[in-house]
Amino acid sequence: MSMTVLDQKDFLNTTAQVDEAAVKPLPNSRKIYVSGSRSDIQVPMREISQTDTAANMGAEKNPPIYVYDTSGPYTDTTMKIDIRCGLPVLRDNWIDERGDTEVLSGPVSDYGQKRQADPGLAKMRFNLKRQPRRGKAGMNVTQMHYARRGIITPEMEFIAIRENQHYEALNHKLLAHQHPGQDFGASLPKQITPEFVRDEVARGRAIIPANINHPESEPMIIGRNFLVKINANIGNSALGSSIQEEVEKMTWAIRWGGDTVMDLSTGKNIHETREWIIRNSPVPIGTVPIYQALEKVNGKAEELTWEIFRDTLIEQAEQGVDYFTIHAGVRLAYIPMTAKRMTGIVSRGGSIMAKWCLAHHEESFLYTHFEEICEIMKAYDVSFSLGDGLRPGSIYDANDEAQFAELKTLGELTQVAWKHDVQVMIEGPGHVPMHLIKENMDLQLKYCDEAPFYTLGPLTTDIAPGYDHITSAIGAAMIGWYGTAMLCYVTPKEHLGLPDKDDVKDGIITYKIAAHAADLAKGHPGAQIRDNALSKARFEFRWEDQFNLSLDPNKAQQFHDETLPQEGAKLAHFCSMCGPHFCSMKITQDVRDYAAKQGVSEDEALKQGMQQKSSEFVEKGAEIYSKL
Amino acid sequence: MSMTVLDQKDFLNTTAQVDEAAVKPLPNSRKIYVSGSRSDIQVPMREISQTDTAANMGAEKNPPIYVYDTSGPYTDTTMKIDIRCGLPVLRDNWIDERGDTEVLSGPVSDYGQKRQADPGLAKMRFNLKRQPRRGKAGMNVTQMHYARRGIITPEMEFIAIRENQHYEALNHKLLAHQHPGQDFGASLPKQITPEFVRDEVARGRAIIPANINHPESEPMIIGRNFLVKINANIGNSALGSSIQEEVEKMTWAIRWGGDTVMDLSTGKNIHETREWIIRNSPVPIGTVPIYQALEKVNGKAEELTWEIFRDTLIEQAEQGVDYFTIHAGVRLAYIPMTAKRMTGIVSRGGSIMAKWCLAHHEESFLYTHFEEICEIMKAYDVSFSLGDGLRPGSIYDANDEAQFAELKTLGELTQVAWKHDVQVMIEGPGHVPMHLIKENMDLQLKYCDEAPFYTLGPLTTDIAPGYDHITSAIGAAMIGWYGTAMLCYVTPKEHLGLPDKDDVKDGIITYKIAAHAADLAKGHPGAQIRDNALSKARFEFRWEDQFNLSLDPNKAQQFHDETLPQEGAKLAHFCSMCGPHFCSMKITQDVRDYAAKQGVSEDEALKQGMQQKSSEFVEKGAEIYSKL
């Protein structure tokens, strides 16, 4: 699409509406809420109901399966969704009752005031009726600060319930069975308690991104001892996309499982786009403030100043951004280390700061003003995502001096942030061959004292542009297993263009796979239930249940129906891969039935069962393909 | 598609033709041949030519890159392709001059004779003019037999040249750089010699699937000390697909990188479909003979006999099948071990044999007649692919007693086959969570004495039907790194339906990614060249080169053009992800240029360069986005 087309595209706050597809509940799923210790702690989950096992296979009632639900009110059929009003302010009362924040008379940031005063923006501006909050003078309002004072916040309790996913309710031996994991020194409890959440946050090993100006968000946690999370990047650029498209990408991303969303907009109306996204997002929103700061100086990195950046931080903190990527580890002295690289500096933020450092030949103002940044973060509870500005952009550059020099600095900055009780996670690579991935995790744990690691992939080869969701899912699954807390998705468009809605979905599903594979390998309690339930459905030819339990029911059903279109096919005891004569699943069902009947423990009983069965076979002429 | 539609679909040997898309050379690529010690050893490779680096980036001439080419004569513009004639018989003279084979007067198998005599098949039968070959009485014609007698065959020399991919010719320090790998005890030489190939085959650590009745095949090798290979499964079922479709899938699969193709047809005209595929395939073809044997008894497993199976082996060996999957490890005693599984026996061959064993309550005839099978294999040089009939079909069943009991038996059978100088590879799982994958590799190496491992995935989670190419690519990359020699692809349709051409391509590209990621991690010599070249092109904004060096140039270009359609965009110094102000690559190019100019080794020189550059920046107003 060309710029002119985009310019003509109108987005009006009077007509804005959510994408139909984003509010439809998934098949056989309903939103349930598990109550906490107080009536306003209602934790959303998705309940997937199952059909019964067929009579000839035991006529078993199959329990509903509960899965982590990031889609927020959008998939709650009892809610009326109107993006012009934004989402309900779930956390408003919790924040208010802590009594350590004040409601301002209006935006404090110069830029926020300027945008609000601009009549030209009236038609596209989100009509927010409330004013921004800020911590009272001298008050620290971070979840880490509460945690360290021994306070269990409603957010923490909400998270404990959410992470357990109701799995203790499951009373089914087969479905509950799970392989012991290999956790590389993580401390996964059998059950997540509110106290455990508090302790992990106090320890700095987990963060709860929860800006006091984003009360619409449903609390979630990022840490190696919790479910592995995924982030979806959206955002328009100077060359493409509109506010409507970005809001749609956000609702689409959370529908399929995005745990957080980063708005990386670099085009025009960044401020307004962000407002629409935050007001309608039930998941934490992250940004890279330096992108907008650069727009404010017309893209001239050398004209960036601490004052402009500072005002941008406040502007975005007042809007409710939950975490900021800040590339404070890109120090002047490290830039020469990138000179002999294959692909130099590939992080945008990193290269902007490198350019600034070179233009001024000074230390980065992000580094020199880091404590002042902490002061801003703790007044709104914005979490740090310390950016890896020197991450490798190619297999060639993996694990080099520049990358690890920066990582060490990020570890030092982590200690500074923790001194202020400000929450921190650390960003990681990038492009790394499989055998060099673990070193990244090991050094991050060491340098950053187990602060949550948040990695982009890593991509395990450079040779597949167009498929980098896959080259990176391989590395993401592995590093998630090793201890990474959140995986930043990569879409098929990586290196090639801006992702559209389909790319966003492909990226999300691919990363849900990587994150779940990591949870299984770590041995996260209950992680295997969904695999077990889907495999049991598959074995019992409960096709619909198999589709409904999958990450993408629509696609599973569509693929199946392409070859077996008739409804009846879903009830047939064979599938198109094998044809009637080849259904290994059905054959095995027989093998299993009588082995179980006789009790496999006693070999003799089994032998008899087998002899008996062999005669049955002959009598029946092995006609085992009867329909249900 | 329904059966009736397929029945009506006509396939005639008079009108059969190859798919247009399969014969078009890839952009900026040409087929080259590297000569061996004799004029008839001409090893095909794909040469990808590159453009020069832009003047403002150094005006460097970029060398052509050579990549492994499985597409055979189809992408050789000098060849005339007519699938009715089949491919040139590349190996015919090599086989003939060994003087240990005889040309028969016609098919020996009863079934082969029956099909040939059936006038109703005339219209669809491939018109083969030559008669099948067989080893002379008492002669062993396997590559392993030659290897053990110290003979280096032309096939072995061909393979040595092919595996090196011409990389020793590359004289470019940056592109030649590679990370040292982690090979878990593999023995990767710096360069592959014909003697090394012979030694690995003699040792049983690698196989060369090369039936004397498939002289059209271009020799390739499967072993842990060579490039990781991938297999593509095709084949029609009783419910779908036609001969034309299967031949198209084969040509499509090898175009994108399939190293071998398995024809798993279970529908009608299996014999004729196979003939068309083999005669037109430059890659080894594998089958699972028990599938066809079962068709011969109308799907009644209990009616299978050794005689029917034996005749099927001979029938297929005479056609030129290069390797047979034989589930001889499914022993009667192991079947009860599957009774408590979540998904029982999911291997079709495995469940057929389990059913036979139960119906007769006898030991499998594949196991009891194994030595007779070896006698057939060595008369045609058909390699064993010992099937894992008890592989896990769900995360729940991974690494259980049944699976490893069978693996141990496969190890014993390997020794029997080796006693006959018959080549063997071992099939592996399946569904396995990441942390249990290595145990599969370790036990296979131990039980099977390093015979090549050939795995299906493994899938690292069960919850993503529709995306199992991805759930499995994660496991495939890892097990390839650990030592697996060949990865059997999984398509997006796995568990749901028969793959169509698009699914075949998705499966192939995904598995090329997994195999290449494994080669990088193992440190296979030269493996990183393509990554380096593509990343250098990316860094220098040589978009076309970036596309051409990728696994799927068409998709890379298409994705790029969706957002930046104008030709000029490919020359612009920014891409749609970042917009003009954000091109980290370009910014870094500047950083790098002067650092290099001054020599980074001397920090002072660099500082000066940086100061100098900073003033330049101010003068130029950082206007660095000029077009080339």
Side-chain angles (χ1 to χ4, degrees):
Chain A
M1 33 194 160
S2 78
M3 292 182 73
T4 44
V5 173
L6 286 167
D7 295 344
Q8 288 154 6
K9 192 176 266 162
D10 257 354
F11 178 77
L12 301 174
N13 57 18
T14 50
T15 57
Q17 46 174 286
V18 71
D19 175 24
E20 267 305 316
V23 297
K24 218 163 120 253
L26 289 161
N28 271 36
S29 292
R30 71 184 181 107
K31 174 94 65 182
I32 64 143
Y33 295 90
V34 177
S35 305
S37 63
R38 40 190 281 181
S39 62
D40 63 352
I41 296 182
Q42 298 293 329
V43 184
M45 298 179 190
R46 179 157 68 97
E47 180 187 74
I48 306 171
S49 56
Q50 300 194 78
T51 61
D52 299 346
T53 301
N56 62 346
M57 293 188 193
E60 183 187 3
K61 283 227 166 302
N62 294 295
I65 300 300
Y66 300 94
V67 299
Y68 198 101
D69 187 356
T70 58
S71 62
Y74 293 97
T75 51
D76 183 339
T77 51
T78 68
M79 302 279 279
K80 160 132 187 47
I81 300 294
D82 180 349
I83 62 171
R84 293 167 305 175
C85 309
L87 297 178
V89 288
L90 172 68
R91 297 169 51 234
D92 204 40
N93 184 42
W94 305 344
I95 295 161
D96 193 59
E97 71 187 8
R98 289 194 273 259
D100 51 6
T101 58
E102 60 191 347
V103 175
L104 305 169
S105 55
V108 170
S109 73
D110 300 342
Y111 191 80
Q113 291 172 0
K114 208 171 97 236
R115 297 300 283 192
Q116 205 174 39
D118 183 342
L121 299 170
K123 275 167 56 190
M124 69 164 58
R125 189 183 296 123
F126 181 88
N127 181 16
L128 178 62
K129 300 195 177 48
R130 67 173 187 270
Q131 297 301 339
R133 269 181 195 277
R134 188 177 61 192
K136 288 177 182 165
M139 290 292 193
N140 183 331
V141 302
T142 70
Q143 292 287 322
M144 185 180 214
H145 187 64
Y146 304 135
R148 288 182 164 183
R149 281 157 55 214
I151 300 168
I152 293 174
T153 62
E155 286 88 344
M156 296 172 194
E157 184 184 346
F158 186 103
I159 286 164
I161 296 168
R162 192 174 196 183
E163 288 282 320
N164 287 326
Q165 280 310 294
H166 222 36
Y167 83 88
E168 66 285 356
L170 182 75
N171 179 18
H172 190 294
K173 200 156 167 307
L174 196 70
L175 295 186
H177 167 83
Q178 180 162 338
H179 296 284
Q182 177 181 2
D183 66 11
F184 299 101
S187 316
L188 306 168
K190 284 266 145 292
Q191 179 162 24
I192 307 283
T193 62
E195 169 55 22
F196 181 76
V197 172
R198 185 203 62 74
D199 190 61
E200 289 291 292
V201 172
R203 165 77 177 73
R205 199 151 57 188
I207 68 169
I208 300 172
N211 185 323
I212 56 173
N213 288 311
H214 188 197
E216 301 90 348
S217 70
E218 295 174 337
M220 56 80 70
I221 195 162
I222 301 166
R224 69 183 292 204
N225 295 320
F226 300 91
L227 289 161
V228 175
K229 305 305 190 296
I230 67 169
N231 170 73
N233 291 334
I234 61 172
N236 59 332
S237 83
L239 299 178
S241 189
S242 69
I243 293 179
Q244 178 74 46
E245 284 174 81
E246 295 314 311
V247 173
E248 283 193 10
K249 281 184 203 166
M250 180 275 289
T251 54
W252 198 232
I254 62 174
R255 175 180 181 78
W256 297 109
D259 292 289
T260 74
V261 167
M262 289 194 78
D263 173 15
L264 305 184
S265 295
T266 60
K268 58 181 99 68
N269 307 322
I270 298 179
H271 181 88
E272 290 66 32
T273 303
R274 185 187 309 122
E275 188 72 33
W276 278 94
I277 291 171
I278 296 172
R279 299 286 73 83
N280 287 288
S281 173
V283 305
I285 299 297
T287 63
V288 186
I290 201 76
Y291 294 174
Q292 186 182 8
L294 190 70
E295 294 284 341
K296 293 175 181 178
V297 293
N298 307 309
K300 299 191 176 58
E302 64 280 11
E303 293 182 12
L304 282 167
T305 64
W306 159 245
E307 291 65 31
I308 290 167
F309 185 74
R310 183 178 176 285
D311 192 67
T312 305
L313 293 183
I314 295 168
E315 170 204 345
Q316 297 195 11
E318 290 180 327
Q319 286 186 293
V321 173
D322 299 285
Y323 61 90
F324 288 151
T325 292
I326 294 184
H327 300 89
V330 179
R331 300 193 57 179
L332 184 61
Y334 303 155
I335 300 170
M337 298 176 182
T338 66
K340 283 248 158 91
R341 280 181 160 184
M342 175 70 78
T343 48
I345 300 174
V346 296
S347 151
R348 292 185 228 162
S351 47
I352 292 162
M353 289 317 298
K355 196 179 171 194
W356 186 91
C357 292
L358 294 169
H360 297 269
H361 198 247
E362 278 175 23
E363 190 60 87
S364 157
F365 59 78
L366 300 178
Y367 184 81
T368 55
H369 290 269
F370 194 74
E371 300 234 15
E372 289 160 82
I373 297 175
C374 291
E375 294 297 339
I376 296 170
M377 306 296 260
K378 65 195 193 193
Y380 305 90
D381 196 7
V382 181
S383 300
F384 275 112
S385 184
L386 293 178
D388 56 336
L390 302 182
R391 68 169 176 266
S394 57
I395 291 295
Y396 184 104
D397 294 338
N399 295 26
D400 73 351
E401 181 192 19
Q403 186 195 337
F404 290 142
E406 178 187 37
L407 182 60
K408 206 160 191 170
T409 298
L410 298 185
E412 293 155 15
L413 295 172
T414 298
Q415 296 301 328
V416 176
W418 283 354
K419 194 182 68 189
H420 291 267
D421 294 352
V422 172
Q423 307 189 89
V424 182
M425 62 182 166
I426 309 293
E427 296 186 7
H431 293 239
V432 183
M434 280 191 288
H435 65 303
L436 299 185
I437 290 174
K438 192 151 191 312
E439 183 181 24
N440 279 272
M441 189 72 238
D442 294 342
L443 288 178
Q444 191 272 344
L445 291 171
K446 180 179 161 208
Y447 292 160
C448 305
D449 196 12
E450 291 191 81
F453 204 21
Y454 168 32
T455 62
L456 179 70
L459 287 68
T460 54
T461 168
D462 303 342
I463 68 169
Y467 299 84
D468 279 328
H469 57 310
I470 297 173
T471 64
S472 65
I474 294 166
M478 292 173 72
I479 205 162
W481 172 27
Y482 299 153
T484 289
M486 184 157 77
L487 307 170
C488 182
Y489 86 173
V490 172
T491 76
K493 289 275 174 66
E494 183 73 14
H495 298 121
L496 299 171
L498 263 189
D500 59 23
K501 270 181 67 180
D502 292 342
D503 300 315
V504 166
K505 182 180 174 183
D506 282 344
I508 292 278
I509 299 287
T510 302
Y511 270 66
K512 289 297 285 184
I513 288 167
H516 184 70
D519 288 331
L520 285 174
K522 282 164 65 179
H524 188 93
Q528 201 179 308
I529 293 172
R530 191 174 184 176
D531 296 79
N532 292 344
L534 190 145
S535 290
K536 185 169 185 286
R538 179 175 286 155
F539 184 70
E540 294 171 354
F541 299 95
R542 288 182 282 118
W543 285 102
E544 296 289 357
D545 290 344
Q546 188 185 155
F547 304 150
N548 298 338
L549 287 164
S550 72
L551 288 177
D552 185 354
N554 314 1
K555 176 170 266 187
Q557 171 125 30
Q558 170 215 322
F559 275 3
H560 175 271
D561 294 355
E562 277 177 25
T563 5
L564 285 177
Q566 333 83 313
E567 180 52 32
K570 278 179 223 60
L571 298 177
H573 273 179
F574 58 84
C575 70
S576 63
M577 281 167 295
C578 308
H581 295 156
F582 285 87
C583 191
S584 53
M585 287 286 194
K586 183 61 183 69
I587 291 171
T588 310
Q589 182 66 43
D590 297 338
V591 175
R592 187 180 168 178
D593 288 346
Y594 55 75
K597 212 182 306 150
Q598 310 286 342
V600 281
S601 52
E602 294 167 28
D603 202 45
E604 197 33 56
L606 183 75
K607 282 224 183 77
Q608 286 164 20
M610 286 155 73
Q611 269 145 343
Q612 177 195 324
K613 192 69 185 173
S614 62
S615 36
E616 276 176 33
F617 271 14
V618 181
E619 288 158 23
K620 291 199 308 175
E623 192 44 76
I624 58 179
Y625 298 104
S626 56
K627 305 250 175 182
L628 293 184
Chain B
M1 35 194 159
S2 77
M3 292 182 73
T4 43
V5 173
L6 285 168
D7 295 344
Q8 288 154 6
K9 195 176 263 163
D10 257 355
F11 178 78
L12 301 175
N13 58 17
T14 50
T15 57
Q17 45 176 286
V18 72
D19 174 23
E20 267 305 316
V23 296
K24 219 163 121 254
L26 289 161
N28 272 35
S29 292
R30 70 183 181 106
K31 174 96 63 181
I32 64 144
Y33 295 89
V34 177
S35 304
S37 64
R38 42 190 280 182
S39 62
D40 64 352
I41 296 181
Q42 297 293 329
V43 184
M45 298 179 190
R46 178 157 68 99
E47 180 187 74
I48 306 171
S49 56
Q50 301 193 78
T51 61
D52 300 346
T53 302
N56 63 345
M57 292 187 192
E60 184 187 1
K61 283 229 163 302
N62 294 295
I65 301 300
Y66 300 93
V67 300
Y68 197 99
D69 187 355
T70 57
S71 62
Y74 293 98
T75 52
D76 183 338
T77 52
T78 68
M79 302 280 277
K80 161 129 186 48
I81 300 294
D82 180 349
I83 61 171
R84 294 167 304 175
C85 308
L87 298 178
V89 288
L90 173 66
R91 296 169 51 235
D92 204 40
N93 185 41
W94 304 345
I95 295 162
D96 193 59
E97 70 187 9
R98 289 195 272 259
D100 51 6
T101 58
E102 60 191 345
V103 176
L104 304 169
S105 56
V108 169
S109 74
D110 299 342
Y111 192 80
Q113 290 172 1
K114 209 174 95 229
R115 298 298 284 191
Q116 204 173 41
D118 183 342
L121 300 169
K123 274 166 58 188
M124 68 163 58
R125 190 184 297 124
F126 180 89
N127 181 16
L128 179 61
K129 302 198 175 48
R130 67 173 188 271
Q131 297 301 339
R133 271 181 194 277
R134 187 177 61 192
K136 289 178 183 163
M139 290 290 192
N140 184 330
V141 302
T142 70
Q143 293 288 321
M144 186 180 213
H145 187 65
Y146 304 135
R148 288 182 163 183
R149 280 157 54 217
I151 299 168
I152 293 175
T153 62
E155 286 88 344
M156 297 171 193
E157 183 184 348
F158 186 103
I159 286 164
I161 296 168
R162 192 174 195 184
E163 288 282 320
N164 288 324
Q165 279 310 294
H166 221 34
Y167 83 90
E168 66 286 354
L170 182 75
N171 179 18
H172 191 293
K173 201 158 167 305
L174 196 71
L175 295 187
H177 167 84
Q178 180 162 336
H179 296 284
Q182 178 182 359
D183 66 11
F184 298 100
S187 317
L188 306 168
K190 283 266 146 291
Q191 179 162 22
I192 308 282
T193 62
E195 167 56 21
F196 180 77
V197 172
R198 185 204 62 74
D199 191 62
E200 289 289 293
V201 172
R203 164 78 177 73
R205 199 151 57 186
I207 68 169
I208 300 173
N211 185 323
I212 56 173
N213 287 312
H214 188 196
E216 300 91 347
S217 70
E218 295 174 337
M220 57 80 70
I221 194 162
I222 301 166
R224 70 184 291 204
N225 295 319
F226 300 91
L227 289 161
V228 175
K229 306 301 190 299
I230 67 168
N231 170 73
N233 291 335
I234 62 171
N236 60 332
S237 83
L239 299 177
S241 188
S242 70
I243 293 179
Q244 177 73 46
E245 284 174 80
E246 296 314 312
V247 172
E248 282 192 10
K249 281 184 202 167
M250 181 273 290
T251 55
W252 197 232
I254 62 173
R255 174 180 181 80
W256 297 110
D259 291 289
T260 75
V261 167
M262 289 195 77
D263 173 14
L264 304 185
S265 294
T266 60
K268 58 180 96 68
N269 307 321
I270 297 179
H271 181 89
E272 290 65 33
T273 303
R274 185 187 310 122
E275 188 73 33
W276 278 95
I277 290 171
I278 296 172
R279 298 286 74 83
N280 287 287
S281 173
V283 306
I285 298 298
T287 62
V288 186
I290 201 76
Y291 293 175
Q292 187 183 7
L294 190 70
E295 295 285 343
K296 293 176 180 177
V297 293
N298 305 309
K300 300 191 174 58
E302 63 280 15
E303 294 184 11
L304 282 167
T305 65
W306 159 245
E307 290 65 30
I308 289 166
F309 185 74
R310 183 179 176 285
D311 191 67
T312 306
L313 292 183
I314 294 168
E315 168 204 346
Q316 297 195 12
E318 289 180 328
Q319 285 186 295
V321 173
D322 299 285
Y323 62 90
F324 288 151
T325 291
I326 294 184
H327 301 88
V330 180
R331 300 193 57 180
L332 184 61
Y334 304 156
I335 299 169
M337 298 175 182
T338 66
K340 282 250 158 86
R341 280 183 161 186
M342 175 69 78
T343 48
I345 300 175
V346 296
S347 151
R348 292 185 227 161
S351 48
I352 293 163
M353 289 316 298
K355 196 179 172 194
W356 186 92
C357 291
L358 294 170
H360 296 270
H361 198 248
E362 278 175 23
E363 190 60 86
S364 156
F365 59 78
L366 299 178
Y367 184 81
T368 54
H369 291 268
F370 193 73
E371 299 234 16
E372 289 160 81
I373 297 173
C374 291
E375 294 296 341
I376 297 170
M377 306 297 259
K378 64 194 194 193
Y380 304 90
D381 197 7
V382 181
S383 299
F384 274 111
S385 183
L386 293 177
D388 56 335
L390 302 182
R391 68 170 176 266
S394 57
I395 291 295
Y396 184 103
D397 295 337
N399 294 27
D400 72 353
E401 181 192 20
Q403 187 196 336
F404 290 143
E406 176 187 37
L407 182 60
K408 207 161 191 167
T409 297
L410 298 185
E412 294 156 15
L413 295 173
T414 298
Q415 296 301 328
V416 176
W418 284 354
K419 194 183 66 188
H420 291 267
D421 294 351
V422 173
Q423 307 189 87
V424 182
M425 61 181 168
I426 309 293
E427 295 185 8
H431 293 239
V432 184
M434 281 191 287
H435 65 303
L436 300 184
I437 289 174
K438 193 153 189 313
E439 182 182 25
N440 280 273
M441 189 73 239
D442 294 342
L443 288 178
Q444 190 273 342
L445 291 172
K446 180 178 160 209
Y447 293 160
C448 305
D449 197 11
E450 291 191 81
F453 205 22
Y454 168 32
T455 62
L456 179 71
L459 286 68
T460 54
T461 169
D462 303 342
I463 69 169
Y467 299 83
D468 279 328
H469 58 311
I470 297 172
T471 64
S472 65
I474 293 166
M478 292 172 72
I479 205 163
W481 171 26
Y482 299 153
T484 289
M486 185 156 77
L487 307 170
C488 183
Y489 86 173
V490 171
T491 77
K493 289 276 173 65
E494 182 75 13
H495 297 121
L496 299 171
L498 263 189
D500 58 23
K501 270 181 67 180
D502 292 342
D503 301 315
V504 166
K505 182 180 173 184
D506 282 345
I508 291 279
I509 300 286
T510 302
Y511 270 65
K512 289 297 285 182
I513 288 168
H516 184 70
D519 288 332
L520 285 174
K522 283 164 64 179
H524 189 93
Q528 202 180 306
I529 293 170
R530 191 175 185 175
D531 297 79
N532 293 343
L534 189 145
S535 291
K536 184 169 187 285
R538 180 175 285 155
F539 185 69
E540 294 172 353
F541 299 97
R542 289 182 281 117
W543 286 104
E544 296 290 357
D545 290 345
Q546 190 186 154
F547 304 148
N548 298 340
L549 288 164
S550 72
L551 289 178
D552 185 355
N554 314 2
K555 176 169 264 186
Q557 171 126 31
Q558 170 215 322
F559 277 3
H560 175 271
D561 294 355
E562 277 176 24
T563 5
L564 285 178
Q566 331 83 314
E567 180 52 31
K570 276 178 223 63
L571 299 176
H573 272 178
F574 57 84
C575 70
S576 63
M577 279 166 294
C578 308
H581 295 155
F582 285 87
C583 190
S584 53
M585 288 285 194
K586 182 62 182 71
I587 291 172
T588 311
Q589 181 66 43
D590 296 339
V591 176
R592 185 179 167 178
D593 287 347
Y594 56 73
K597 212 184 305 150
Q598 310 286 341
V600 281
S601 51
E602 295 167 27
D603 202 46
E604 195 34 53
L606 184 76
K607 281 223 185 81
Q608 285 165 18
M610 286 157 72
Q611 270 147 342
Q612 179 195 321
K613 193 67 186 174
S614 63
S615 36
E616 277 174 34
F617 271 13
V618 181
E619 288 157 25
K620 292 197 310 177
E623 193 44 76
I624 58 178
Y625 298 103
S626 55
K627 305 247 173 182
L628 291 185

